[in-house]
Amino acid sequence: MLKGKTALVTGSTSGIGLGVAEALAEARCNIVINGFGDAAEIEALRGRLEKTHGVKARYDGADMSKPAAIEAMIKKAVSEFGAVDILVNNAGIQHVAPVDEFPPDKWDAIIAINLVSNFHTIRHALPGMKKKGWGRIINIASAHALVASPFKSAYVAAKHGVAGLTKTVALEVAQQGITVNAICPAYVLTPLVEKQIPDTAKARGITEQQVMTDVLLAAQPTKKFVTIEQVAGLAMYLASEQAASVTGAILSIDGGWTAQ
Ligand code: NAD
């Protein structure tokens, strides 16, 4: 059912975005991947997606903190593939520090990449979706779209913002065959999480092992990390026809964290 559609996944050179891009390619969607990394590795990834799944895969290195680059990326995808049918807003960064020590440039970068980029991708992708009368917008938010943790003020503010944006756009396009939803994972062991372990240890004055057990998994009743495949599975459901009535939903995939 998704065969021949075009999907654009921001921040798909790593972690969750890569897993979602792989799953969409497996469903025979043409793919635009985006994100940073080693050029040769990204080219190998692009080639692998094409070869393994028999789809077209393109790479766009647009920086999600740059509105003009976002506009150019969406325009290029639309001119090449006709539309962006499935937009997955996934690119994200993190910084952990007490709010009164939070570097303002880090705050600005987190808000720009984790929240404002979603506004720009959506506003440029929507006209093509409206023309086709079909579209799927899937925002990778976080459990931090629903609850807070100390030392993550910018991230929590951005992700709560993503939840609000998701609901608002869902209402605006509800009668046009376009759904807009947010996925809210708890901790998934990706480079984004691995990188924050030393800073969290420093901020809380504990060891890195204690960060894993006493901080990251403390609030997850399952005591297990969520997997990339589980998040990709939920994204694939949201992209499907069966999910046509699921819109404006803020969907937790968090091992019970936000049930507490
Ligand atoms: P990751 O660090 O593995 O991947 C992030 C991706 O975003 C990479 O491809 C990176 O190159 C890209 N990126 C970063 N800055 C960018 C920029 N300015 N422009 C374009 N691309 C950029 O992280 P991840 O854990 O896979 O996170 C993906 C998303 O999932 C993020 O929005 C994150 O907030 C969210 N999330 C992650 C977890 C988790 O525990 N890992 C939990 C909840 C939500």
Side-chain angles (χ1 to χ4, degrees), residues 10-17 34-37 62-65 90-93 113-114 140-143 155 159 184-193 195:
T10 70
S12 44
T13 52
S14 165
I16 292 170
N34 159 262
F36 300 147
D63 181 337
M64 290 303 105
S65 67
N90 167 81
I93 58 166
I113 295 164
N114 295 18
I140 306 298
S142 167
Y155 188 86
K159 294 297 186 180
C184 298
Y187 286 104
V188 184
L189 208 49
T190 64
L192 178 137
V193 170
K195 272 185 263 168

PDB file of all heavy atoms in Angstrom, residues 10-17 34-37 62-65 90-93 113-114 140-143 155 159 184-193 195, ligand 1:
ATOM      1  N   THR A  10      13.829  13.239   8.422  1.00  0.00           N
ATOM      2  CA  THR A  10      14.928  14.104   8.849  1.00  0.00           C
ATOM      3  C   THR A  10      15.771  13.355   9.897  1.00  0.00           C
ATOM      4  O   THR A  10      15.256  12.521  10.651  1.00  0.00           O
ATOM      5  CB  THR A  10      14.431  15.442   9.427  1.00  0.00           C
ATOM      6  OG1 THR A  10      13.790  15.213  10.684  1.00  0.00           O
ATOM      7  CG2 THR A  10      13.464  16.136   8.486  1.00  0.00           C
ATOM      8  N   GLY A  11      17.058  13.630   9.905  1.00  0.00           N
ATOM      9  CA  GLY A  11      17.944  12.979  10.873  1.00  0.00           C
ATOM     10  C   GLY A  11      17.950  11.473  10.739  1.00  0.00           C
ATOM     11  O   GLY A  11      17.851  10.750  11.733  1.00  0.00           O
ATOM     12  N   SER A  12      18.108  11.002   9.489  1.00  0.00           N
ATOM     13  CA  SER A  12      17.992   9.547   9.283  1.00  0.00           C
ATOM     14  C   SER A  12      19.324   8.878   8.970  1.00  0.00           C
ATOM     15  O   SER A  12      19.356   7.783   8.415  1.00  0.00           O
ATOM     16  CB  SER A  12      16.960   9.252   8.192  1.00  0.00           C
ATOM     17  OG  SER A  12      17.120  10.119   7.095  1.00  0.00           O
ATOM     18  N   THR A  13      20.424   9.551   9.338  1.00  0.00           N
ATOM     19  CA  THR A  13      21.725   8.897   9.164  1.00  0.00           C
ATOM     20  C   THR A  13      22.113   8.099  10.399  1.00  0.00           C
ATOM     21  O   THR A  13      23.183   7.497  10.444  1.00  0.00           O
ATOM     22  CB  THR A  13      22.813   9.952   8.875  1.00  0.00           C
ATOM     23  OG1 THR A  13      22.759  10.964   9.896  1.00  0.00           O
ATOM     24  CG2 THR A  13      22.609  10.598   7.517  1.00  0.00           C
ATOM     25  N   SER A  14      21.245   8.063  11.403  1.00  0.00           N
ATOM     26  CA  SER A  14      21.610   7.431  12.674  1.00  0.00           C
ATOM     27  C   SER A  14      20.349   7.070  13.450  1.00  0.00           C
ATOM     28  O   SER A  14      19.265   7.612  13.181  1.00  0.00           O
ATOM     29  CB  SER A  14      22.455   8.440  13.479  1.00  0.00           C
ATOM     30  OG  SER A  14      22.562   8.074  14.837  1.00  0.00           O
ATOM     31  N   GLY A  15      20.461   6.173  14.377  1.00  0.00           N
ATOM     32  CA  GLY A  15      19.449   5.935  15.402  1.00  0.00           C
ATOM     33  C   GLY A  15      18.040   5.659  14.902  1.00  0.00           C
ATOM     34  O   GLY A  15      17.825   4.880  13.974  1.00  0.00           O
ATOM     35  N   ILE A  16      17.073   6.326  15.536  1.00  0.00           N
ATOM     36  CA  ILE A  16      15.653   6.079  15.264  1.00  0.00           C
ATOM     37  C   ILE A  16      15.303   6.428  13.814  1.00  0.00           C
ATOM     38  O   ILE A  16      14.604   5.680  13.127  1.00  0.00           O
ATOM     39  CB  ILE A  16      14.781   6.904  16.242  1.00  0.00           C
ATOM     40  CG1 ILE A  16      14.951   6.369  17.674  1.00  0.00           C
ATOM     41  CG2 ILE A  16      13.307   6.858  15.833  1.00  0.00           C
ATOM     42  CD1 ILE A  16      14.334   7.255  18.757  1.00  0.00           C
ATOM     43  N   GLY A  17      15.803   7.572  13.333  1.00  0.00           N
ATOM     44  CA  GLY A  17      15.494   8.003  11.967  1.00  0.00           C
ATOM     45  C   GLY A  17      15.958   6.990  10.944  1.00  0.00           C
ATOM     46  O   GLY A  17      15.243   6.693   9.973  1.00  0.00           O
ATOM     47  N   ASN A  34      18.359  12.229   5.423  1.00  0.00           N
ATOM     48  CA  ASN A  34      18.921  13.530   5.818  1.00  0.00           C
ATOM     49  C   ASN A  34      19.670  13.340   7.125  1.00  0.00           C
ATOM     50  O   ASN A  34      19.357  12.429   7.893  1.00  0.00           O
ATOM     51  CB  ASN A  34      17.745  14.536   5.977  1.00  0.00           C
ATOM     52  CG  ASN A  34      18.105  15.718   6.840  1.00  0.00           C
ATOM     53  OD1 ASN A  34      17.789  15.757   8.036  1.00  0.00           O
ATOM     54  ND2 ASN A  34      18.780  16.686   6.269  1.00  0.00           N
ATOM     55  N   GLY A  35      20.625  14.212   7.365  1.00  0.00           N
ATOM     56  CA  GLY A  35      21.362  14.139   8.629  1.00  0.00           C
ATOM     57  C   GLY A  35      22.840  14.306   8.369  1.00  0.00           C
ATOM     58  O   GLY A  35      23.274  14.459   7.227  1.00  0.00           O
ATOM     59  N   PHE A  36      23.599  14.296   9.438  1.00  0.00           N
ATOM     60  CA  PHE A  36      25.038  14.505   9.331  1.00  0.00           C
ATOM     61  C   PHE A  36      25.760  13.164   9.415  1.00  0.00           C
ATOM     62  O   PHE A  36      25.171  12.166   9.821  1.00  0.00           O
ATOM     63  CB  PHE A  36      25.516  15.420  10.447  1.00  0.00           C
ATOM     64  CG  PHE A  36      24.873  16.783  10.429  1.00  0.00           C
ATOM     65  CD1 PHE A  36      24.628  17.466  11.616  1.00  0.00           C
ATOM     66  CD2 PHE A  36      24.512  17.395   9.229  1.00  0.00           C
ATOM     67  CE1 PHE A  36      24.046  18.735  11.609  1.00  0.00           C
ATOM     68  CE2 PHE A  36      23.931  18.664   9.211  1.00  0.00           C
ATOM     69  CZ  PHE A  36      23.695  19.330  10.413  1.00  0.00           C
ATOM     70  N   GLY A  37      27.046  13.202   9.073  1.00  0.00           N
ATOM     71  CA  GLY A  37      27.862  11.998   9.198  1.00  0.00           C
ATOM     72  C   GLY A  37      28.918  11.935   8.117  1.00  0.00           C
ATOM     73  O   GLY A  37      29.048  12.853   7.301  1.00  0.00           O
ATOM     74  N   ALA A  62      20.651  18.862   4.283  1.00  0.00           N
ATOM     75  CA  ALA A  62      20.128  20.112   4.850  1.00  0.00           C
ATOM     76  C   ALA A  62      20.265  20.138   6.369  1.00  0.00           C
ATOM     77  O   ALA A  62      19.925  19.166   7.051  1.00  0.00           O
ATOM     78  CB  ALA A  62      18.661  20.288   4.465  1.00  0.00           C
ATOM     79  N   ASP A  63      20.731  21.273   6.862  1.00  0.00           N
ATOM     80  CA  ASP A  63      20.860  21.483   8.308  1.00  0.00           C
ATOM     81  C   ASP A  63      19.492  21.928   8.840  1.00  0.00           C
ATOM     82  O   ASP A  63      18.962  22.966   8.418  1.00  0.00           O
ATOM     83  CB  ASP A  63      21.928  22.569   8.539  1.00  0.00           C
ATOM     84  CG  ASP A  63      22.171  22.843  10.019  1.00  0.00           C
ATOM     85  OD1 ASP A  63      21.285  22.563  10.852  1.00  0.00           O
ATOM     86  OD2 ASP A  63      23.256  23.369  10.338  1.00  0.00           O
ATOM     87  N   MET A  64      18.934  21.154   9.760  1.00  0.00           N
ATOM     88  CA  MET A  64      17.582  21.430  10.255  1.00  0.00           C
ATOM     89  C   MET A  64      17.489  22.693  11.105  1.00  0.00           C
ATOM     90  O   MET A  64      16.402  23.077  11.517  1.00  0.00           O
ATOM     91  CB  MET A  64      17.047  20.237  11.047  1.00  0.00           C
ATOM     92  CG  MET A  64      16.718  19.022  10.213  1.00  0.00           C
ATOM     93  SD  MET A  64      15.505  19.368   8.908  1.00  0.00           S
ATOM     94  CE  MET A  64      16.559  19.393   7.496  1.00  0.00           C
ATOM     95  N   SER A  65      18.633  23.352  11.350  1.00  0.00           N
ATOM     96  CA  SER A  65      18.556  24.642  12.043  1.00  0.00           C
ATOM     97  C   SER A  65      18.512  25.799  11.041  1.00  0.00           C
ATOM     98  O   SER A  65      18.501  26.958  11.435  1.00  0.00           O
ATOM     99  CB  SER A  65      19.743  24.806  12.994  1.00  0.00           C
ATOM    100  OG  SER A  65      20.943  24.912  12.265  1.00  0.00           O
ATOM    101  N   ASN A  90      12.242  13.876  12.591  1.00  0.00           N
ATOM    102  CA  ASN A  90      12.956  13.069  13.587  1.00  0.00           C
ATOM    103  C   ASN A  90      14.235  13.711  14.093  1.00  0.00           C
ATOM    104  O   ASN A  90      14.655  13.429  15.211  1.00  0.00           O
ATOM    105  CB  ASN A  90      13.265  11.698  12.959  1.00  0.00           C
ATOM    106  CG  ASN A  90      14.254  10.908  13.780  1.00  0.00           C
ATOM    107  OD1 ASN A  90      13.890  10.279  14.768  1.00  0.00           O
ATOM    108  ND2 ASN A  90      15.541  10.964  13.406  1.00  0.00           N
ATOM    109  N   ALA A  91      14.866  14.581  13.285  1.00  0.00           N
ATOM    110  CA  ALA A  91      16.174  15.121  13.685  1.00  0.00           C
ATOM    111  C   ALA A  91      16.077  15.746  15.073  1.00  0.00           C
ATOM    112  O   ALA A  91      15.113  16.448  15.382  1.00  0.00           O
ATOM    113  CB  ALA A  91      16.655  16.166  12.678  1.00  0.00           C
ATOM    114  N   GLY A  92      17.055  15.476  15.888  1.00  0.00           N
ATOM    115  CA  GLY A  92      17.013  16.044  17.227  1.00  0.00           C
ATOM    116  C   GLY A  92      18.378  15.998  17.888  1.00  0.00           C
ATOM    117  O   GLY A  92      19.222  15.164  17.546  1.00  0.00           O
ATOM    118  N   ILE A  93      18.588  16.942  18.797  1.00  0.00           N
ATOM    119  CA  ILE A  93      19.815  16.969  19.592  1.00  0.00           C
ATOM    120  C   ILE A  93      19.438  17.169  21.055  1.00  0.00           C
ATOM    121  O   ILE A  93      18.286  17.495  21.372  1.00  0.00           O
ATOM    122  CB  ILE A  93      20.792  18.074  19.136  1.00  0.00           C
ATOM    123  CG1 ILE A  93      20.121  19.459  19.213  1.00  0.00           C
ATOM    124  CG2 ILE A  93      21.306  17.802  17.733  1.00  0.00           C
ATOM    125  CD1 ILE A  93      21.096  20.624  19.104  1.00  0.00           C
ATOM    126  N   ILE A 113      16.319  22.944  16.071  1.00  0.00           N
ATOM    127  CA  ILE A 113      16.385  21.630  15.410  1.00  0.00           C
ATOM    128  C   ILE A 113      15.210  20.736  15.838  1.00  0.00           C
ATOM    129  O   ILE A 113      14.585  20.072  15.016  1.00  0.00           O
ATOM    130  CB  ILE A 113      17.745  20.958  15.703  1.00  0.00           C
ATOM    131  CG1 ILE A 113      18.873  21.774  15.062  1.00  0.00           C
ATOM    132  CG2 ILE A 113      17.771  19.504  15.199  1.00  0.00           C
ATOM    133  CD1 ILE A 113      20.262  21.453  15.565  1.00  0.00           C
ATOM    134  N   ASN A 114      14.898  20.737  17.137  1.00  0.00           N
ATOM    135  CA  ASN A 114      13.886  19.797  17.644  1.00  0.00           C
ATOM    136  C   ASN A 114      12.455  20.296  17.458  1.00  0.00           C
ATOM    137  O   ASN A 114      11.529  19.503  17.452  1.00  0.00           O
ATOM    138  CB  ASN A 114      14.117  19.526  19.138  1.00  0.00           C
ATOM    139  CG  ASN A 114      15.435  18.820  19.426  1.00  0.00           C
ATOM    140  OD1 ASN A 114      16.338  18.813  18.606  1.00  0.00           O
ATOM    141  ND2 ASN A 114      15.563  18.251  20.603  1.00  0.00           N
ATOM    142  N   ILE A 140       8.595  12.658  15.582  1.00  0.00           N
ATOM    143  CA  ILE A 140       9.211  11.876  16.656  1.00  0.00           C
ATOM    144  C   ILE A 140       9.441  12.846  17.816  1.00  0.00           C
ATOM    145  O   ILE A 140      10.398  13.639  17.797  1.00  0.00           O
ATOM    146  CB  ILE A 140      10.530  11.201  16.208  1.00  0.00           C
ATOM    147  CG1 ILE A 140      10.318  10.357  14.922  1.00  0.00           C
ATOM    148  CG2 ILE A 140      11.075  10.343  17.362  1.00  0.00           C
ATOM    149  CD1 ILE A 140       9.351   9.196  15.025  1.00  0.00           C
ATOM    150  N   ALA A 141       8.532  12.811  18.764  1.00  0.00           N
ATOM    151  CA  ALA A 141       8.648  13.699  19.937  1.00  0.00           C
ATOM    152  C   ALA A 141       9.436  12.947  21.000  1.00  0.00           C
ATOM    153  O   ALA A 141      10.580  12.536  20.762  1.00  0.00           O
ATOM    154  CB  ALA A 141       7.262  14.125  20.413  1.00  0.00           C
ATOM    155  N   SER A 142       8.824  12.692  22.144  1.00  0.00           N
ATOM    156  CA  SER A 142       9.540  12.036  23.245  1.00  0.00           C
ATOM    157  C   SER A 142       8.580  11.909  24.425  1.00  0.00           C
ATOM    158  O   SER A 142       7.587  12.653  24.498  1.00  0.00           O
ATOM    159  CB  SER A 142      10.727  12.913  23.658  1.00  0.00           C
ATOM    160  OG  SER A 142      11.269  12.492  24.897  1.00  0.00           O
ATOM    161  N   ALA A 143       8.892  11.027  25.353  1.00  0.00           N
ATOM    162  CA  ALA A 143       8.170  11.050  26.628  1.00  0.00           C
ATOM    163  C   ALA A 143       8.280  12.450  27.231  1.00  0.00           C
ATOM    164  O   ALA A 143       7.383  12.900  27.955  1.00  0.00           O
ATOM    165  CB  ALA A 143       8.755  10.018  27.591  1.00  0.00           C
ATOM    166  N   TYR A 155      15.154  20.811  25.803  1.00  0.00           N
ATOM    167  CA  TYR A 155      14.607  19.610  25.153  1.00  0.00           C
ATOM    168  C   TYR A 155      13.141  19.408  25.525  1.00  0.00           C
ATOM    169  O   TYR A 155      12.296  19.157  24.665  1.00  0.00           O
ATOM    170  CB  TYR A 155      15.441  18.401  25.577  1.00  0.00           C
ATOM    171  CG  TYR A 155      15.145  17.110  24.855  1.00  0.00           C
ATOM    172  CD1 TYR A 155      15.758  16.807  23.640  1.00  0.00           C
ATOM    173  CD2 TYR A 155      14.277  16.171  25.401  1.00  0.00           C
ATOM    174  CE1 TYR A 155      15.503  15.603  22.992  1.00  0.00           C
ATOM    175  CE2 TYR A 155      14.014  14.974  24.766  1.00  0.00           C
ATOM    176  CZ  TYR A 155      14.635  14.686  23.561  1.00  0.00           C
ATOM    177  OH  TYR A 155      14.377  13.492  22.919  1.00  0.00           O
ATOM    178  N   LYS A 159      10.032  19.591  22.961  1.00  0.00           N
ATOM    179  CA  LYS A 159       9.177  18.416  22.713  1.00  0.00           C
ATOM    180  C   LYS A 159       7.727  18.691  23.110  1.00  0.00           C
ATOM    181  O   LYS A 159       6.806  18.204  22.457  1.00  0.00           O
ATOM    182  CB  LYS A 159       9.732  17.193  23.437  1.00  0.00           C
ATOM    183  CG  LYS A 159      11.107  16.726  22.900  1.00  0.00           C
ATOM    184  CD  LYS A 159      11.047  16.273  21.443  1.00  0.00           C
ATOM    185  CE  LYS A 159      12.378  15.676  20.986  1.00  0.00           C
ATOM    186  NZ  LYS A 159      12.338  15.229  19.573  1.00  0.00           N
ATOM    187  N   CYS A 184       5.998   9.252  21.066  1.00  0.00           N
ATOM    188  CA  CYS A 184       6.723   9.680  22.262  1.00  0.00           C
ATOM    189  C   CYS A 184       7.462   8.515  22.903  1.00  0.00           C
ATOM    190  O   CYS A 184       6.953   7.869  23.840  1.00  0.00           O
ATOM    191  CB  CYS A 184       5.741  10.281  23.261  1.00  0.00           C
ATOM    192  SG  CYS A 184       4.920  11.741  22.615  1.00  0.00           S
ATOM    193  N   PRO A 185       8.670   8.239  22.426  1.00  0.00           N
ATOM    194  CA  PRO A 185       9.422   7.134  23.031  1.00  0.00           C
ATOM    195  C   PRO A 185      10.069   7.549  24.351  1.00  0.00           C
ATOM    196  O   PRO A 185      10.419   8.708  24.551  1.00  0.00           O
ATOM    197  CB  PRO A 185      10.526   6.838  21.999  1.00  0.00           C
ATOM    198  CG  PRO A 185      10.277   7.728  20.821  1.00  0.00           C
ATOM    199  CD  PRO A 185       9.401   8.851  21.297  1.00  0.00           C
ATOM    200  N   ALA A 186      10.227   6.564  25.218  1.00  0.00           N
ATOM    201  CA  ALA A 186      11.137   6.728  26.354  1.00  0.00           C
ATOM    202  C   ALA A 186      12.542   6.413  25.822  1.00  0.00           C
ATOM    203  O   ALA A 186      12.768   6.484  24.616  1.00  0.00           O
ATOM    204  CB  ALA A 186      10.731   5.783  27.466  1.00  0.00           C
ATOM    205  N   TYR A 187      13.458   6.049  26.692  1.00  0.00           N
ATOM    206  CA  TYR A 187      14.852   5.932  26.255  1.00  0.00           C
ATOM    207  C   TYR A 187      15.081   4.781  25.278  1.00  0.00           C
ATOM    208  O   TYR A 187      14.663   3.651  25.512  1.00  0.00           O
ATOM    209  CB  TYR A 187      15.770   5.769  27.462  1.00  0.00           C
ATOM    210  CG  TYR A 187      15.931   7.062  28.208  1.00  0.00           C
ATOM    211  CD1 TYR A 187      15.271   7.271  29.416  1.00  0.00           C
ATOM    212  CD2 TYR A 187      16.705   8.096  27.685  1.00  0.00           C
ATOM    213  CE1 TYR A 187      15.399   8.479  30.090  1.00  0.00           C
ATOM    214  CE2 TYR A 187      16.822   9.303  28.358  1.00  0.00           C
ATOM    215  CZ  TYR A 187      16.176   9.492  29.558  1.00  0.00           C
ATOM    216  OH  TYR A 187      16.288  10.690  30.211  1.00  0.00           O
ATOM    217  N   VAL A 188      15.726   5.137  24.172  1.00  0.00           N
ATOM    218  CA  VAL A 188      16.162   4.186  23.148  1.00  0.00           C
ATOM    219  C   VAL A 188      17.680   4.342  23.127  1.00  0.00           C
ATOM    220  O   VAL A 188      18.172   5.481  23.079  1.00  0.00           O
ATOM    221  CB  VAL A 188      15.582   4.566  21.763  1.00  0.00           C
ATOM    222  CG1 VAL A 188      15.944   3.533  20.715  1.00  0.00           C
ATOM    223  CG2 VAL A 188      14.073   4.790  21.832  1.00  0.00           C
ATOM    224  N   LEU A 189      18.405   3.242  23.171  1.00  0.00           N
ATOM    225  CA  LEU A 189      19.863   3.354  23.275  1.00  0.00           C
ATOM    226  C   LEU A 189      20.481   3.688  21.911  1.00  0.00           C
ATOM    227  O   LEU A 189      20.887   2.814  21.156  1.00  0.00           O
ATOM    228  CB  LEU A 189      20.448   2.057  23.847  1.00  0.00           C
ATOM    229  CG  LEU A 189      21.760   2.197  24.624  1.00  0.00           C
ATOM    230  CD1 LEU A 189      21.698   3.298  25.665  1.00  0.00           C
ATOM    231  CD2 LEU A 189      22.129   0.873  25.273  1.00  0.00           C
ATOM    232  N   THR A 190      20.488   4.980  21.587  1.00  0.00           N
ATOM    233  CA  THR A 190      21.064   5.478  20.324  1.00  0.00           C
ATOM    234  C   THR A 190      22.223   6.406  20.686  1.00  0.00           C
ATOM    235  O   THR A 190      22.389   6.752  21.865  1.00  0.00           O
ATOM    236  CB  THR A 190      20.017   6.308  19.550  1.00  0.00           C
ATOM    237  OG1 THR A 190      19.710   7.456  20.351  1.00  0.00           O
ATOM    238  CG2 THR A 190      18.747   5.522  19.276  1.00  0.00           C
ATOM    239  N   PRO A 191      22.979   6.880  19.679  1.00  0.00           N
ATOM    240  CA  PRO A 191      24.071   7.820  19.990  1.00  0.00           C
ATOM    241  C   PRO A 191      23.609   9.028  20.789  1.00  0.00           C
ATOM    242  O   PRO A 191      24.341   9.525  21.657  1.00  0.00           O
ATOM    243  CB  PRO A 191      24.570   8.227  18.602  1.00  0.00           C
ATOM    244  CG  PRO A 191      24.281   7.033  17.735  1.00  0.00           C
ATOM    245  CD  PRO A 191      22.988   6.458  18.267  1.00  0.00           C
ATOM    246  N   LEU A 192      22.370   9.515  20.551  1.00  0.00           N
ATOM    247  CA  LEU A 192      21.869  10.694  21.281  1.00  0.00           C
ATOM    248  C   LEU A 192      21.837  10.437  22.789  1.00  0.00           C
ATOM    249  O   LEU A 192      22.181  11.301  23.586  1.00  0.00           O
ATOM    250  CB  LEU A 192      20.466  11.061  20.773  1.00  0.00           C
ATOM    251  CG  LEU A 192      19.755  12.240  21.436  1.00  0.00           C
ATOM    252  CD1 LEU A 192      19.078  13.118  20.380  1.00  0.00           C
ATOM    253  CD2 LEU A 192      18.701  11.772  22.433  1.00  0.00           C
ATOM    254  N   VAL A 193      21.439   9.247  23.172  1.00  0.00           N
ATOM    255  CA  VAL A 193      21.354   8.912  24.594  1.00  0.00           C
ATOM    256  C   VAL A 193      22.743   8.595  25.146  1.00  0.00           C
ATOM    257  O   VAL A 193      23.118   9.061  26.226  1.00  0.00           O
ATOM    258  CB  VAL A 193      20.396   7.713  24.810  1.00  0.00           C
ATOM    259  CG1 VAL A 193      20.484   7.191  26.231  1.00  0.00           C
ATOM    260  CG2 VAL A 193      18.972   8.149  24.498  1.00  0.00           C
ATOM    261  N   LYS A 195      25.521   9.768  24.288  1.00  0.00           N
ATOM    262  CA  LYS A 195      26.324  10.988  24.452  1.00  0.00           C
ATOM    263  C   LYS A 195      25.961  11.761  25.720  1.00  0.00           C
ATOM    264  O   LYS A 195      26.763  12.503  26.242  1.00  0.00           O
ATOM    265  CB  LYS A 195      26.140  11.907  23.227  1.00  0.00           C
ATOM    266  CG  LYS A 195      27.129  11.604  22.102  1.00  0.00           C
ATOM    267  CD  LYS A 195      26.980  12.606  20.972  1.00  0.00           C
ATOM    268  CE  LYS A 195      26.111  12.052  19.869  1.00  0.00           C
ATOM    269  NZ  LYS A 195      25.645  12.942  18.842  1.00  0.00           N
TER     270      LYS A 195
HETATM  271  P1  NAD B   1      20.725  10.193  17.020  1.00  0.00           P
HETATM  272  O1  NAD B   1      21.705  11.142  17.599  1.00  0.00           O
HETATM  273  O2  NAD B   1      21.087   8.762  16.882  1.00  0.00           O
HETATM  274  O3  NAD B   1      20.240  10.719  15.592  1.00  0.00           O
HETATM  275  C1  NAD B   1      19.929  12.057  15.371  1.00  0.00           C
HETATM  276  C2  NAD B   1      19.907  12.310  13.887  1.00  0.00           C
HETATM  277  O4  NAD B   1      19.624  13.705  13.685  1.00  0.00           O
HETATM  278  C3  NAD B   1      21.240  12.029  13.190  1.00  0.00           C
HETATM  279  O5  NAD B   1      20.983  11.514  11.905  1.00  0.00           O
HETATM  280  C4  NAD B   1      21.869  13.412  13.087  1.00  0.00           C
HETATM  281  O6  NAD B   1      22.813  13.538  12.042  1.00  0.00           O
HETATM  282  C5  NAD B   1      20.632  14.238  12.829  1.00  0.00           C
HETATM  283  N1  NAD B   1      20.804  15.660  13.099  1.00  0.00           N
HETATM  284  C6  NAD B   1      21.273  16.257  14.231  1.00  0.00           C
HETATM  285  N2  NAD B   1      21.325  17.580  14.056  1.00  0.00           N
HETATM  286  C7  NAD B   1      20.871  17.820  12.803  1.00  0.00           C
HETATM  287  C8  NAD B   1      20.682  18.999  12.036  1.00  0.00           C
HETATM  288  N3  NAD B   1      20.973  20.219  12.518  1.00  0.00           N
HETATM  289  N4  NAD B   1      20.203  18.872  10.786  1.00  0.00           N
HETATM  290  C9  NAD B   1      19.920  17.655  10.259  1.00  0.00           C
HETATM  291  N5  NAD B   1      20.062  16.519  10.941  1.00  0.00           N
HETATM  292  C10 NAD B   1      20.542  16.596  12.188  1.00  0.00           C
HETATM  293  O7  NAD B   1      19.405  10.385  17.896  1.00  0.00           O
HETATM  294  P2  NAD B   1      18.105   9.472  18.130  1.00  0.00           P
HETATM  295  O8  NAD B   1      18.130   8.988  19.527  1.00  0.00           O
HETATM  296  O9  NAD B   1      17.899   8.504  17.022  1.00  0.00           O
HETATM  297  O10 NAD B   1      16.999  10.622  18.091  1.00  0.00           O
HETATM  298  C11 NAD B   1      16.104  10.798  17.021  1.00  0.00           C
HETATM  299  C12 NAD B   1      14.870  11.546  17.525  1.00  0.00           C
HETATM  300  O11 NAD B   1      14.216  10.746  18.518  1.00  0.00           O
HETATM  301  C13 NAD B   1      15.180  12.881  18.195  1.00  0.00           C
HETATM  302  O12 NAD B   1      14.214  13.838  17.838  1.00  0.00           O
HETATM  303  C14 NAD B   1      15.084  12.561  19.671  1.00  0.00           C
HETATM  304  O13 NAD B   1      14.739  13.684  20.444  1.00  0.00           O
HETATM  305  C15 NAD B   1      13.966  11.523  19.657  1.00  0.00           C
HETATM  306  N6  NAD B   1      13.950  10.657  20.848  1.00  0.00           N
HETATM  307  C16 NAD B   1      15.021   9.875  21.151  1.00  0.00           C
HETATM  308  C17 NAD B   1      14.961   9.086  22.276  1.00  0.00           C
HETATM  309  C18 NAD B   1      16.112   8.212  22.688  1.00  0.00           C
HETATM  310  O14 NAD B   1      16.084   7.724  23.819  1.00  0.00           O
HETATM  311  N7  NAD B   1      17.082   7.956  21.833  1.00  0.00           N
HETATM  312  C19 NAD B   1      13.833   9.091  23.090  1.00  0.00           C
HETATM  313  C20 NAD B   1      12.765   9.904  22.749  1.00  0.00           C
HETATM  314  C21 NAD B   1      12.845  10.684  21.613  1.00  0.00           C
END
